[in-house]
């Protein structure tokens, strides 16, 4: 029997703010499943929406009018009202959801004709840090219930959300976000010659199952095969994956700014060139003319990548709390110590009497990050020890360090002979970050 719909009270009722196009940009449903016509009202734990029964043409090759006993499309659309409620919330942490359980479905009447307007109603019945549970209801214009979904449980995932859309078009969204701290460079054709991005993999994204999902979305066929067969520890495997993800995002952002072209991450292939540097190309093997050079480096929880039209692209990242600062300081030559001392606005000497352990650790982390950035730009395979990059000067105004290459490496790196490398350094949470862009003059 078809029941009359019970009164639906919305606590602290207000008008919905999320437009339908925003709703469906946050879901993975294509046009044939986009049955919400408007999100109407929502409350503290409830929401209403206007739904429409969609045409069934195109669902099956054999018929444009399948005789469903249960309309699967509209049944799915009835869940979208609850999805809209989540997008209305101020706190988006843990709002990436995957339904995993349905307690009961109640059906009152056969499928309705395409074009029929209905009201969708959703109520939140349970929540915890790891799940949400909703009840959904679809009501006809005469006030009778057509469908009910009871006990729809969804698992919560704590993944970067906002600029990132894990459900949306993979050639439009980026998992990383642009990091604006890169040293300013003169624009080329009105566009900055370098782009730096930051990727902050959440704890959920570093779990084994979610890493496999990320790998399937982000890696080329060759990379995915290598990811699955490499014998690495958990931390090393995570770094292998997310260094490549960040490098691809940096290249995609840079390329889109230059050409307007959108690229899928899985269509790009990151390899290691003979010098030990990241090298990126299309997975077909081609490298588009003018495609950027890239570099990536990071620590647990923070990956940085840089893309540039310049020949040398370098990023170095070092955790401050793992640096044996006093030992690293003692290993510097006296003239290097004087150069590092210039990072202080007062140019005070970096001795135990004038420098706290925390300040010394920060400075030496900058030194290590700067050396790593230049080493990654020139070729780690050709520079066995980062100490072969010598500190020549420091600048307190922009916290930059100037480095030169040890003479013993001139034969391997003739283009670096006589060159000096100015590297910007930054403190980002528990890490020091250095960026370097340049090339032979």
């Amino acid at each position: 029997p078809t029941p009359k719909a019970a009164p639906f009270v919305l606590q602290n009722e207000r008008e919905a703010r999320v437009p339908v196009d925003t709703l469906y940009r946050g879901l993975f449903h294509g046009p044939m499943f986009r049955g919400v016509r408007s999100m109407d009202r929502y409350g503290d734990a409830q929401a209403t929406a206007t739904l429409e029964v969609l045409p069934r043409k195109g669902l099956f090759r054999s018929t444009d009018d399948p005789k469903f006993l249960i309309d699967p499309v509209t049944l799915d659309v009835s869940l979208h009202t609850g999805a809209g409620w989540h997008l209305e919330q101020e706190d988006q942490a843990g709002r990436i959801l995957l339904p995993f359980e349905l307690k009961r479905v109640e059906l009152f009447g056969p499928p309705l004709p395409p074009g029929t307007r209905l009201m969708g109603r959703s109520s939140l019945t349970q929540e915890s840090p790891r799940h949400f549970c909703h009840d959904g209801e679809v009501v006809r214009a005469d006030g009778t219930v057509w469908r009910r979904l009871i006990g729809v449980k969804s698992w919560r995932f704590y993944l970067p959300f906002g600029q990132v859309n894990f459900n949306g078009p993979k050639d439009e969204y980026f998992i990383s976000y642009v990091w604006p701290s890169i040293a300013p460079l003169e624009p080329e054709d009105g566009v900055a010659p370098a782009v730096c991005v930051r990727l902050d993999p959440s704890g959920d994204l570093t779990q084994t199952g979610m890493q496999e999902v990320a790998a399937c979305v982000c890696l080329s066929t060759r990379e995915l095969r290598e990811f699955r067969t490499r014998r690495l520890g958990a931390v090393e495997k995570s770094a292998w994956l997310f260094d490549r993800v960040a490098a691809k995002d940096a290249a995609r952002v840079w390329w889109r700014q230059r050409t307007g072209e959108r690229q899928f991450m899985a269509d790009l292939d990151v390899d290691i060139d003979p010098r030990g540097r990241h090298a990126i190309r299309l997975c077909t093997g081609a490298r588009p003319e003018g495609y950027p050079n890239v570099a990536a480096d990071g620590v647990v929880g923070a990956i940085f990548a840089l893309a540039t039209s310049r020949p040398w692209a370098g990023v170095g990242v070092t955790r401050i709390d793992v640096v044996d600062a006093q030992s690293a300081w003692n290993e510097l030559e006296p003239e290097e110590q004087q150069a590092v001392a210039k990072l202080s606005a007062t140019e005070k000497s970096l001795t135990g009497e004038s420098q706290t352990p925390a300040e010394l650790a920060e400075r030496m982390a900058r030194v290590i990050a700067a050396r790593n950035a230049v080493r990654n730009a020139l070729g780690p395979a050709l520079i066995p020890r980062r100490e072969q990059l010598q500190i020549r000067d420091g600048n307190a105004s922009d916290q930059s360090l100037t480095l030169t290459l040890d003479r013993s490496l001139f034969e391997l790196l003739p283009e670096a002979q006589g060159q000096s490398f100015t590297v910007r350094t930054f403190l980002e949470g528990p890490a020091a970050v250095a960026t370097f862009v340049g090339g032979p003059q």
Side-chain angles (χ1 to χ4, degrees), residues 15 34 44 49 58 62 80 89 92 96 168 188 195 209 261 290 296-297 301 334 339-340 364 372 374 398 421:
E15 189 173 346
R34 296 182 177 184
D44 291 346
S62 59
H80 302 179
Q89 306 312 305
Q92 288 295 306
I96 296 178
E188 296 176 354
V195 167
E261 180 185 351
D297 194 20
V340 174
M364 294 315 300
N372 285 341
V374 179
D398 61 4
F421 317 111

Side-chain angles (χ1 to χ4, degrees), residues 115 158 236:
Y158 291 83
E236 291 79 7

